[in-house]
Amino acid sequence: QAGERLLGIVSIAANEANNVRYIEGARAAAAEDGWEVSVIDAAGSADQANAAIQNFANRGAAAVIDMVFPYSSIGAGLAAADSAGIPVVTWGGGLGRTVASTNGSGAPIALPVIEKLIDDLGQGGSLLALTYRTGEVCRDRELLLDELLKSRPDISVTKNEVRIPGYLEDGAQYTNAWLASHPEGAEPLAIWGCWDDPAIGGIGSLRQQGREDVLVYGVNGNAQALENIRRGHMTATAWEDSYAEGYDMVKRLDEIIKAGDAWEPKAAEVPAVLVTQDNIEKFLEEHPDAYGN
Amino acid sequence: MSEMTAGNRRLSARSKARLGFFARYATIIGLVAMIVLFSVLSPKAFPTVLNFTNVLNQASLTMIIAAGLTMAVIVGELDLSIGFAASLHGILVTGLIVSNELPIPVAIVIVIGAGALVGLLNGLVVTKLKVNSVIATLGVGTILTGLAFAYSAGVPIVRGVPDAFLDISLGRWVFGIPNNILIMASVVAFLWLLVERTSIGQEIQAVGGNPAAARLAGISVDRIKILGFIISGMCAALTGILLASRLGSGTASAADSYLLTAFAAVFLGSATLRDGEFHIVGTIIGALIIAFGFNGLNIFGAPTFSQYVLQGAILIIAVGLSSLGRSIAES
Amino acid sequence: MSEMTAGNRRLSARSKARLGFFARYATIIGLVAMIVLFSVLSPKAFPTVLNFTNVLNQASLTMIIAAGLTMAVIVGELDLSIGFAASLHGILVTGLIVSNELPIPVAIVIVIGAGALVGLLNGLVVTKLKVNSVIATLGVGTILTGLAFAYSAGVPIVRGVPDAFLDISLGRWVFGIPNNILIMASVVAFLWLLVERTSIGQEIQAVGGNPAAARLAGISVDRIKILGFIISGMCAALTGILLASRLGSGTASAADSYLLTAFAAVFLGSATLRDGEFHIVGTIIGALIIAFGFNGLNIFGAPTFSQYVLQGAILIIAVGLSSLGRSIAES
Amino acid sequence: MMFDKQDALAENDAELQPFLDAKDIVKSYGGVQALKGVSLALRAGEVHGLVGANGAGKSTFIKILAGLTRADSGDLWIDGEDVVVMTPHHAAELGMNFIHQELAFIPDMTVMENIMLGLPKKTRLGLVDWKAIAANIQPVAERVGLKVPLTAKAKTLSTAEIWLVNICRALVRKARLIVMDEPTASLSASEAERLFAIIEDLSRSGVAVLYVSHRLDEILRLCHRVTAFRDGAAVARFEGDGLTRPALVEAIVGGDLHPIPADKRVNHDLGTVALTVRGVARLPMVKGVDFDLHHGEVLGIGGLVGAGRSELARLIYGVDRVDAGEMKLKGQPFAPRSPSEAVKAGLGLVPEERRSEALLLTKSVAFNMQLSNLAGIVRNPVLPLIDRNRRRSQTEAVVRDLAVKTPGIETPVGQLSGGNQQKVVIGRWLLRRPGVLILDEPTRGVDVGARGEIHRLIRDLAAQGMAVLVISSEPDELPDLCDRVLVMVEGRIARELHGDHLNRNAIIQASYAHAS
Ligand SMILES: Nc1ncnc2c1ncn2[C@@H]1O[C@H](COP(=O)(O)OP(=O)(O)OP(=O)(O)O)[C@@H](O)[C@H]1O
Ligand SMILES: Nc1ncnc2c1ncn2[C@@H]1O[C@H](COP(=O)(O)OP(=O)(O)OP(=O)(O)O)[C@@H](O)[C@H]1O
Ligand SMILES: [Mg+2]
Ligand SMILES: [Mg+2]
């Protein structure tokens, strides 16, 4: 298919569900606009992400999408793209340096679920927050959580950092330890993951111990989280419409390219949907694709 | 250092014998001391039956995969594919149950068979292609990651995972003991018997100790090495299955992080009871040290950074005490 | 398999010699063949000076850390701390420059000194506490991860990184060659000379080849092992610094993934030219195979899953051809 | 080339202070008292013999001198100064040099690099100047008769050549004392001759030599004085006229045991053919070998080190593949593709290098002995659990039969003395009882007493119908032991000797048939 423009996508984890849906959205828009899409999985390594962006610049790509790697860690890639005159947009990577546009930023997505969490702990209680500060997305969400909790001294927070890889096991082990000093019935309890997976690790541990008194919150709304909400193990998550984000972003690329140097970098967020045990069935009817397979 | 040893050179035979005893049991003593310490620090939350059961339950998966890895290292090879393999097998088992609608036991048997196949592949590459096991298993592991991705297209398999499958790791079918613990105990007991009490086990130990001598004694070194990889692969598959059952889904890279933990357990274990030799009991002690260390530090509420520092220190000190004691006792 | 060898048993001496030659150079031949193949597949994008420079530039960091690791494995030890160490040092150098406002060269010297200290710690734990190097360096690595967290609270240091620091890895100060490549070439050349042409290098090789014999010959084995760890630690620090300069930030765990890549390069390299011995030139070839493999598959645009599968296959085949050729030639 | 021992000593007699004076050295390993307080003094220029049964403590004494292990108590005076040898490096600084019983070298380094190991090297601009070094080493290599190029990798060398490399190293270091632990065990007669000449040379130039050997002829010939160890104590000292063979044997075995020559040739009639070897070749070492091995026979293979005998054994045992030729085992075609096939077919091998090829040093005596007999101690082949009682009783019986000196059957075999380790390897095949047993240098490093026992054992096995093939580089050993001897030269059988023609001189003569 000669003549088609090449769109390079650098993914942080090509086998993570939300990433996959973003890529699907991007592909759909690309097919409409005449882009040829090529995806490189940097397997979590910022260094490989830089290499991949450089490789795309070499291949004569017309635009590059950086998934999740923060603009701060793709310095060399941005420099290469800039000197080749190619726009780079990010998904969850923020707006900075020469990044032309972004969506999927961490904090706005997490807002509805954090508000619900604080609401649910109306009587006060204890919260286990599973965080990952190394990732910009997670860090922004954590800052938002801190901000909103400022007015709620009645909620005592324990924070634990999970690792990548290892977030499921870490989530489970931190939950185990936390549960040991937070017995059933003493006070309202909740677990919050800065994205769904650590919380899902925590759910494994809750179920092993047969604890049903703990509220569990995630962010992103991946298929596992939705399934856990459906089964009643998870309280709520904020579903990020990554498909729409991928689609919108690719649609915006032509605009960016046309504007050239005149383009003003901007964020354009797709609002997240709060999914709870009350609206899960309806949600799944409306978004069957969110559920994977 | 040398002065210290010089000072010790006239240690009495009796205190040497005591030191030697201490060295043999240093990791076990360390484990017990750690448990006592955490019990004192967090008397309400740490030393409870519930917490211990939970830690054991949680650590069961690590123990199974580490016991398998022990078999590979006993025959003198490294198996870096286990984490990736467990991830793939977790996806595979849910896929077979959900998409292919196979009965659960059939799916499990097939996946454990697939684990054996992965081990066989590792073993053949190492013994027949004569590729160093680090490269061979890293290569096979990378291929498995690709296969996991190809099988699931990166999307976790969640819908339609039957409760019966989840019950495998959540259930407590015998005497109220969590199934994971029972499964782990059976695997460990079986492997211990195999290595320590059977003729194949003697061959396994011989191949690891001195492959040239084992070969000249009439042992098929290649076959034994392949066996070590197969057992390692099967244990990785079992871990993947139990993890999928615990998470309620098959997820690519869910088990990748087991690799380092399993290595830590195996090498910690090699300082236990025997001097630098790998063995099943040692691995289990190693895994317990890691699991209780993590849990205790956490319950005590140490900040994340100091948890890492202390975990690293525990590893080094547990082995260091034992090795140092041994080398002084033997000097 | 055995039939195949049986069929070959009457190979003429000449074809055996040819096979032996092939085996020595198999990884290099593989590298060249791969480059030719990708050039044919992507004639416009792959075989360009620009792309090759980019690949080399990109691979420089892997090469530096892998060359350091080579020193540790030559003296017979594993160093699993290098990835964690590089991450910590990346944070440290940006921290010193941004928060403590140290001049860039001073910060770099301090951080490389810190790398040497980490290596010294690894070496002391291994030689004096007599802890197996897997556990020792895993333990030290875990401690370093904790320290990195403590230093930065896990938050990357981004704001206020001066352009002069970014220029270190982005600049082309001599003949338009990227600095990273020049730095890598100097490190590699220095280490090659050290190992192959100096009298310390002789001791390093002896300690790795047969520590007992080296000890009997009056070589201070412990000191040489510590030296190996120190060099490995310094190379990890340098890699961390260059990575921070390239990323424009100090990030916890940014360099963790170098560990596996460096191992793959080192073990791939051990099949190059020499039979299973670790050496600097081999490591560089190994790193090139990995870098060009990644780059070529990327540029060709293979689907993600097949990239993993092919990368794994490249590792195994590159070493397998060489080992198999060698073993047939010697049979 | 007879050498006047008394003369050389007299020259140095003036220096009354001994170079080395060890007093009341005590050393125990766990419960084993390896040395119970031995004293030994050495003067410059003296060749001092050290003899004793396996496990008497000779190597332990040497390890203390070398700084490899430290004495529990006792004093060491060197040049009149009280010292504790801390490390091998320290020992070298004190002027002592060692050629240990278990050879130490770096397989992947060149001959030259091995010789220079641990020595200060000439450098230019910080880089080692190998050309200058080669020029220095070459004469030394020629002096000891090392024929391989200095740039050859050590791993391609034979055991004998490695020995010569080690001797070169000691000479290059210009030591004041050279300690040799069983140096001739793997040397051929001519190489040994050259070694003796070198030792005499060293002695004349004032270097002291501590010479450990089980070969009493060499001791008698070379040494000015001899100390005998027994059970960790120095029980006798000999010099001058007191230095005789019977006196040495008496001191070594303690009078309660006099080695009896094996009662050979009980069964003159050869049994049926067990193994037929026709045209077996694997270049370059084995160039076409034919022979028949009968049940009830002990067949020797003599020749020089490097003649290809070990390689022949490896071919028969399936370790390496043959290039050409055929074998038959009990009339059936026999082409083993691995040792495990050979063992299943009824062969056994006692390899040349017991530490690297036969034993797992950290494993117990029982483990090592039972390694080829596992099928014989399982309760049931399907569920192969080991019958621990049978394992113990069988092992204990063999330990008793072979008089293996060990604290127990669960003792790690690495803690036994060299000779006792050898007995454990032979014991392995006593348990399995193969139809054909090949022994490669079975009495290397074995004391006179044990040597007699091993010989008797070999004869017993043959008498029970086993076909035994014995490879030995000691021309003295084969005539006593074997019914027939094949002499191998450069990969071919040069002579077959039997009956009256079978004697030491005939073997030596045949060994040099083509070589000269
Ligand atoms: N590392 C060790 N641990 C325990 N016991 C040991 C160790 N090394 C030697 N021994 C014991 O010390 C005693 C003396 O052994 P040594 O090797 O000195 O004997 P040797 O005279 O050299 O014998 P050979 O002639 O067989 O070489 C033996 O009983 C041996 O079992
Ligand atoms: N791995 C090897 N590669 C090349 N040459 C070798 C190798 N091993 C041995 N040789 C050569 O083989 C020759 C003979 O080896 P070896 O000493 O084992 O012979 P042998 O006749 O069995 O003697 P013995 O049994 O008395 O030691 C030596 O000259 C050596 O150079
Ligand atoms: Mg000895
Ligand atoms: Mg030989």
Side-chain angles (χ1 to χ4, degrees):
Chain A
Q1 286 197 323
E4 288 209 333
R5 301 163 304 164
L6 177 64
L7 168 61
I9 299 183
V10 180
S11 117
I12 191 167
N15 45 16
E16 197 277 322
N18 249 10
N19 286 253
V20 171
R21 276 195 297 120
Y22 181 90
I23 294 170
E24 279 169 6
R27 278 188 196 281
E32 294 170 18
D33 292 359
W35 292 93
E36 180 200 341
V37 177
S38 174
V39 180
I40 296 178
D41 182 14
S45 153
D47 195 28
Q48 282 195 22
N50 278 289
I53 298 174
Q54 284 174 338
N55 288 340
F56 278 129
N58 282 351
R59 277 169 73 185
V64 174
I65 300 179
D66 155 53
M67 297 172 64
V68 187
F69 289 103
Y71 70 87
S72 59
S73 71
I74 49 171
L78 287 176
D82 197 38
S83 62
I86 306 168
V88 177
V89 298
T90 71
W91 176 60
L95 203 57
R97 297 220 172 111
T98 54
V99 171
S101 183
T102 191
N103 60 17
S105 299
I109 291 164
L111 186 63
V113 82
I114 294 177
E115 282 174 337
K116 175 167 171 51
L117 183 163
I118 290 180
D119 221 39
D120 291 349
L121 289 182
Q123 326 285 321
S126 283
L127 172 68
L128 171 66
L130 299 168
T131 60
Y132 181 67
R133 291 190 184 154
T134 309
E136 179 139 327
V137 169
C138 264
R139 197 168 63 248
D140 288 347
R141 291 171 182 175
E142 188 189 338
L143 289 175
L144 182 66
L145 177 76
D146 292 346
E147 183 65 34
L148 295 179
L149 279 175
K150 259 188 203 153
S151 58
R152 293 294 304 271
D154 55 326
I155 299 176
S156 77
V157 186
T158 306
K159 282 188 185 175
N160 280 123
E161 278 278 302
V162 300
R163 287 167 290 185
I164 295 181
Y167 40 80
L168 291 168
E169 185 74 9
D170 282 356
Q173 295 209 21
Y174 285 130
T175 303
N176 259 342
W178 184 75
L179 287 177
S181 40
H182 292 86
E184 192 159 359
E187 56 177 338
L189 298 174
I191 296 175
W192 177 77
C194 73
W195 83 104
D196 292 322
D197 284 332
I200 289 166
I203 290 172
S205 160
L206 288 174
R207 300 196 57 206
Q208 253 170 24
Q209 303 193 26
R211 293 280 294 260
E212 291 179 351
D213 60 317
V214 184
L215 307 172
V216 183
Y217 304 85
V219 186
N220 284 7
N222 70 29
Q224 277 163 293
L226 298 175
E227 173 73 4
N228 273 297
I229 290 177
R230 207 178 62 77
R231 286 172 177 260
H233 304 316
M234 196 182 224
T235 313
T237 187
W239 182 69
E240 177 179 12
D241 192 350
S242 1
Y243 184 94
E245 287 168 337
Y247 186 88
D248 284 6
M249 186 54 82
V250 172
K251 285 292 182 187
R252 200 173 311 148
L253 287 174
D254 275 332
E255 220 181 303
I256 296 172
I257 291 168
K258 212 174 288 159
D261 287 345
W263 174 259
E264 280 296 320
K266 69 173 176 198
E269 302 295 348
V270 176
V273 180
L274 181 68
V275 183
T276 64
Q277 295 183 5
D278 296 335
N279 69 3
I280 177 77
E281 295 302 340
K282 186 160 160 275
F283 172 84
L284 289 177
E285 265 167 42
E286 286 167 12
H287 299 277
D289 57 306
Y291 208 15
N293 45 71
Chain B
M1 181 59 211
S2 44
E3 270 118 86
M4 183 184 135
T5 330
N8 278 328
R9 84 185 158 109
R10 274 148 225 262
L11 267 186
S12 74
R14 201 155 142 206
S15 46
K16 270 190 188 177
R18 267 200 225 131
L19 247 177
F21 175 87
F22 168 77
R24 269 174 69 86
Y25 294 97
T27 46
I28 298 180
I29 295 171
L31 174 61
V32 173
M34 202 170 72
I35 290 179
V36 170
L37 182 73
F38 285 132
S39 301
V40 172
L41 289 177
S42 315
K44 282 201 209 116
F46 183 80
T48 66
V49 174
L50 184 70
N51 188 43
F52 279 30
T53 315
N54 278 333
V55 172
L56 260 188
N57 192 343
Q58 192 68 36
S60 292
L61 273 58
T62 309
M63 288 181 184
I64 293 172
I65 203 166
L69 176 61
T70 309
M71 300 302 291
V73 294
I74 291 182
V75 299
E77 305 291 344
L78 293 180
D79 187 347
L80 305 182
S81 72
I82 49 173
F84 311 113
S87 294
L88 169 65
H89 294 305
I91 294 180
L92 196 58
V93 75
T94 36
L96 289 177
I97 293 170
V98 174
S99 313
N100 303 49
E101 292 174 29
L102 290 183
I104 293 174
V106 176
I108 290 178
V109 169
I110 291 178
V111 170
I112 289 185
L117 264 180
V118 169
L120 178 67
L121 179 62
N122 278 325
L124 289 175
V125 172
V126 168
T127 58
K128 302 306 178 188
L129 278 185
K130 296 185 195 308
V131 174
N132 175 299
S133 63
V134 168
I135 285 292
T137 58
L138 209 57
V140 168
T142 310
I143 293 176
L144 294 181
T145 304
L147 293 182
F149 189 63
Y151 188 81
S152 71
V155 182
I157 299 166
V158 280
R159 198 168 8 185
V161 179
D163 282 343
F165 180 61
L166 304 188
D167 276 355
I168 294 173
S169 79
L170 293 178
R172 302 178 175 226
W173 296 343
V174 187
F175 304 129
I177 302 168
N179 288 354
N180 283 345
I181 297 181
L182 290 178
I183 295 173
M184 177 274 288
S186 335
V187 169
V188 166
F190 173 80
L191 291 182
W192 182 84
L193 267 182
L194 178 72
V195 174
E196 304 291 335
R197 291 286 182 266
T198 69
S199 61
I200 296 173
Q202 301 283 299
E203 300 193 351
I204 289 173
Q205 293 186 47
V207 166
N210 182 345
R215 180 153 184 258
L216 289 182
I219 293 167
S220 292
V221 173
D222 284 2
R223 230 175 279 170
I224 294 290
K225 290 205 163 182
I226 292 173
L227 178 68
F229 278 113
I230 289 180
I231 297 177
S232 178
M234 290 170 73
C235 287
L238 182 57
T239 305
I241 293 169
L242 292 177
L243 185 66
S245 150
R246 182 144 86 186
L247 297 176
S249 67
T251 314
S253 84
D256 289 8
S257 66
Y258 280 110
L259 178 62
L260 273 191
T261 317
F263 263 86
V266 168
F267 280 82
L268 252 177
S270 74
T272 304
L273 300 175
R274 306 187 193 171
D275 180 12
E277 262 179 73
F278 301 104
H279 58 133
I280 300 287
V281 173
T283 297
I284 296 310
I285 306 270
L288 286 176
I289 291 179
I290 294 170
F292 276 107
F294 190 96
N295 179 264
L297 286 172
N298 224 272
I299 288 187
F300 179 58
T304 306
F305 85 87
S306 62
Q307 287 188 22
Y308 284 117
V309 173
L310 291 172
Q311 275 175 43
I314 288 173
L315 284 190
I316 292 174
I317 292 170
V319 179
L321 280 182
S322 143
S323 311
L324 199 62
R326 205 180 318 254
S327 82
I328 296 175
E330 277 165 14
S331 77
Chain C
M1 181 61 216
S2 44
E3 267 118 89
M4 183 183 137
T5 331
N8 279 328
R9 82 196 160 107
R10 274 149 227 262
L11 267 187
S12 75
R14 202 155 138 203
S15 47
K16 271 189 187 180
R18 266 197 227 133
L19 246 178
F21 175 87
F22 168 77
R24 270 174 69 85
Y25 293 98
T27 44
I28 298 180
I29 296 172
L31 174 61
V32 173
M34 202 171 71
I35 291 178
V36 170
L37 181 73
F38 285 131
S39 301
V40 172
L41 290 177
S42 314
K44 278 197 216 122
F46 183 81
T48 66
V49 174
L50 183 70
N51 186 43
F52 279 31
T53 315
N54 266 333
V55 172
L56 263 187
N57 191 343
Q58 203 59 51
S60 292
L61 272 57
T62 308
M63 287 179 183
I64 294 172
I65 203 166
L69 176 62
T70 310
M71 300 301 293
V73 295
I74 290 182
V75 299
E77 305 291 345
L78 293 180
D79 187 348
L80 304 182
S81 71
I82 49 173
F84 311 112
S87 295
L88 169 66
H89 293 306
I91 294 180
L92 195 58
V93 75
T94 36
L96 290 176
I97 293 170
V98 174
S99 315
N100 304 50
E101 294 176 26
L102 290 184
I104 294 175
V106 176
I108 290 178
V109 169
I110 291 179
V111 170
I112 289 186
L117 264 179
V118 170
L120 178 67
L121 179 63
N122 278 325
L124 289 175
V125 172
V126 169
T127 59
K128 302 306 178 188
L129 279 185
K130 298 187 194 305
V131 174
N132 176 301
S133 63
V134 169
I135 283 294
T137 57
L138 209 57
V140 169
T142 311
I143 292 176
L144 295 181
T145 305
L147 293 181
F149 265 109
Y151 189 80
S152 71
V155 179
I157 300 170
V158 195
R159 227 157 314 193
V161 180
D163 282 346
F165 181 60
L166 302 188
D167 275 356
I168 295 173
S169 78
L170 296 179
R172 301 175 175 230
W173 296 343
V174 185
F175 303 129
I177 302 169
N179 290 352
N180 283 345
I181 297 182
L182 291 178
I183 296 173
M184 176 274 289
S186 332
V187 170
V188 167
F190 173 79
L191 291 181
W192 183 84
L193 274 178
L194 179 73
V195 175
E196 304 290 334
R197 290 286 182 267
T198 70
S199 124
I200 294 175
Q202 288 287 305
E203 302 195 347
I204 290 173
Q205 291 186 46
V207 167
N210 182 347
R215 178 151 179 258
L216 289 177
I219 293 170
S220 160
V221 173
D222 284 2
R223 232 174 278 170
I224 295 291
K225 292 207 162 180
I226 292 173
L227 179 68
F229 278 114
I230 289 180
I231 297 177
S232 178
M234 291 172 75
C235 287
L238 182 57
T239 305
I241 293 169
L242 293 176
L243 183 66
S245 152
R246 180 143 82 191
L247 301 180
S249 66
T251 313
S253 83
D256 289 7
S257 66
Y258 278 111
L259 178 62
L260 275 191
T261 318
F263 263 86
V266 168
F267 280 82
L268 255 176
S270 74
T272 305
L273 300 175
R274 305 187 194 171
D275 178 12
E277 257 180 87
F278 300 104
H279 58 133
I280 301 285
V281 173
T283 297
I284 297 309
I285 307 268
L288 287 175
I289 292 179
I290 294 169
F292 276 106
F294 182 81
N295 174 266
L297 289 170
N298 270 196
I299 287 190
F300 179 58
T304 307
F305 88 89
S306 64
Q307 287 191 21
Y308 280 112
V309 172
L310 290 172
Q311 276 176 40
I314 288 173
L315 283 189
I316 293 174
I317 291 169
V319 178
L321 281 182
S322 144
S323 311
L324 198 61
R326 204 178 320 253
S327 83
I328 296 174
E330 278 166 13
S331 78
Chain D
M1 47 180 283
M2 229 7 234
F3 152 69
D4 188 346
K5 299 191 297 191
Q6 295 312 319
D7 243 17
L9 192 56
E11 273 174 38
N12 294 305
D13 243 342
E15 292 176 63
L16 280 176
Q17 188 187 58
F19 167 71
L20 171 98
D21 197 358
K23 290 192 177 134
D24 290 326
I25 305 288
V26 174
K27 172 76 191 174
S28 58
Y29 290 106
V32 183
Q33 270 235 303
L35 294 175
K36 297 175 182 161
V38 298
S39 302
L40 196 152
L42 263 170
R43 274 168 289 179
E46 170 181 357
V47 181
H48 195 114
L50 187 53
V51 297
N54 291 128
K58 306 180 294 292
S59 298
T60 304
F61 181 72
I62 290 168
K63 282 183 193 153
I64 289 168
L65 291 186
L68 287 172
T69 182
R70 241 153 272 149
D72 298 336
S73 67
D75 295 303
L76 208 57
W77 298 78
I78 288 181
D79 275 337
E81 268 188 56
D82 190 4
V83 295
V84 177
V85 186
M86 303 297 298
T87 60
H89 185 71
H90 187 201
E93 280 177 345
L94 291 169
M96 295 188 285
N97 221 302
F98 298 82
I99 305 176
H100 291 280
Q101 189 169 13
E102 311 299 341
L103 281 174
F105 66 103
I106 318 283
D108 281 318
M109 292 179 94
T110 66
V111 168
M112 179 156 59
E113 288 172 324
N114 268 289
I115 292 175
M116 293 305 293
L117 209 60
L119 293 182
K121 300 175 189 70
K122 268 210 181 84
T123 57
R124 254 191 349 209
L125 302 171
L127 306 184
V128 179
D129 185 353
W130 286 115
K131 267 196 194 135
I133 292 172
N136 281 347
I137 296 180
Q138 195 61 48
V140 183
E142 274 161 24
R143 182 167 158 216
V144 304
L146 183 63
K147 294 200 189 70
V148 292
L150 292 178
T151 51
K153 290 252 171 163
K155 65 182 170 193
T156 64
L157 267 52
S158 67
T159 317
E161 288 161 340
I162 296 289
W163 258 102
L164 297 179
V165 168
N166 276 275
I167 293 168
C168 278
R169 184 149 90 209
L171 294 181
V172 170
R173 274 178 184 267
K174 304 210 181 7
R176 308 252 329 261
L177 164 67
I178 300 183
V179 180
M180 305 184 181
D181 200 348
E182 298 183 30
T184 50
S186 6
L187 299 188
S188 70
S190 67
E191 283 160 332
E193 257 339 301
R194 196 175 286 118
L195 176 68
F196 299 156
I198 293 167
I199 291 175
E200 285 154 5
D201 228 33
L202 288 169
S203 161
R204 260 186 233 105
S205 56
V207 176
V209 176
L210 184 59
Y211 191 92
V212 183
S213 181
H214 291 294
R215 299 190 182 175
L216 301 184
D217 296 340
E218 293 170 1
I219 295 280
L220 290 167
R221 183 183 153 180
L222 277 174
C223 301
H224 305 115
R225 297 197 294 170
V226 175
T227 300
F229 279 11
R230 191 166 65 230
D231 290 334
V235 290
R237 190 140 314 156
F238 306 94
E239 59 189 307
D241 295 338
L243 185 49
T244 63
R245 193 185 171 90
L248 285 179
V249 173
E250 167 83 20
I252 292 167
V253 300
D256 54 323
L257 201 155
H258 30 98
I260 332 150
D263 47 346
K264 63 175 237 178
R265 273 159 272 195
V266 222
N267 41 345
H268 260 303
D269 305 323
L270 293 180
T272 54
V273 176
L275 178 73
T276 313
V277 174
R278 290 288 176 272
V280 162
R282 180 186 162 86
L283 298 176
M285 295 308 298
V286 181
K287 296 173 182 159
V289 171
D290 306 80
F291 67 85
D292 289 327
L293 175 64
H294 302 80
H295 285 292
E297 166 185 54
V298 180
L299 175 62
I301 303 187
L304 303 180
V305 173
R309 297 160 302 165
S310 297
E311 280 72 11
L312 175 63
R314 288 166 67 87
L315 291 177
I316 298 172
Y317 196 60
V319 185
D320 300 322
R321 301 291 180 73
V322 295
D323 286 339
E326 259 133 44
M327 291 186 281
K328 278 186 182 158
L329 189 65
K330 292 188 189 146
Q332 300 299 313
F334 176 59
R337 286 177 303 181
S338 68
S340 90
E341 280 188 23
V343 170
K344 279 193 198 103
L347 264 70
L349 172 73
V350 174
E352 197 175 6
E353 299 288 338
R354 62 175 167 263
R355 287 189 154 236
S356 60
E357 297 180 334
L359 294 171
L360 287 99
L361 297 171
T362 58
K363 296 286 184 191
S364 67
V365 169
F367 184 101
N368 276 284
M369 270 198 192
Q370 293 288 0
L371 209 49
S372 301
N373 181 44
L374 294 169
I377 51 170
V378 295
R379 288 173 197 272
N380 150 357
V382 187
L383 190 80
L385 284 175
I386 286 174
D387 182 335
R388 318 223 319 141
N389 289 330
R390 222 189 308 162
R391 178 176 186 264
R392 179 163 32 80
S393 60
Q394 282 190 2
T395 311
E396 275 170 355
V398 172
V399 164
R400 220 177 310 116
D401 287 353
L402 296 182
V404 181
K405 194 183 161 196
T406 171
I409 62 166
E410 296 301 337
T411 305
V413 83
Q415 294 180 6
L416 305 193
S417 76
N420 284 302
Q421 291 178 0
Q422 185 70 8
K423 289 186 192 171
V424 171
V425 184
I426 295 176
R428 174 183 299 166
W429 297 112
L430 284 187
L431 286 167
R432 170 116 192 161
R433 304 237 159 218
V436 175
L437 181 61
I438 306 171
L439 301 104
D440 198 352
E441 310 285 1
T443 60
R444 176 177 288 176
V446 167
D447 69 45
V448 272
R451 187 183 157 110
E453 287 165 27
I454 289 173
H455 284 181
R456 221 162 332 126
L457 203 75
I458 292 174
R459 292 301 325 173
D460 281 353
L461 291 174
Q464 290 160 26
M466 199 180 277
V468 185
L469 190 64
V470 179
I471 297 170
S472 171
S473 302
E474 268 182 87
D476 287 328
E477 180 166 31
L478 295 176
D480 289 349
L481 179 64
C482 302
D483 301 300
R484 280 191 302 149
V485 169
L486 307 172
V487 180
M488 206 164 154
V489 178
E490 291 178 357
R492 291 196 172 85
I493 304 290
R495 279 289 294 278
E496 178 181 333
L497 300 166
H498 50 84
D500 296 341
H501 299 287
L502 175 49
N503 58 54
R504 178 179 196 276
N505 288 340
I507 293 176
I508 293 177
Q509 249 174 22
S511 301
Y512 286 96
H514 299 274
S516 48

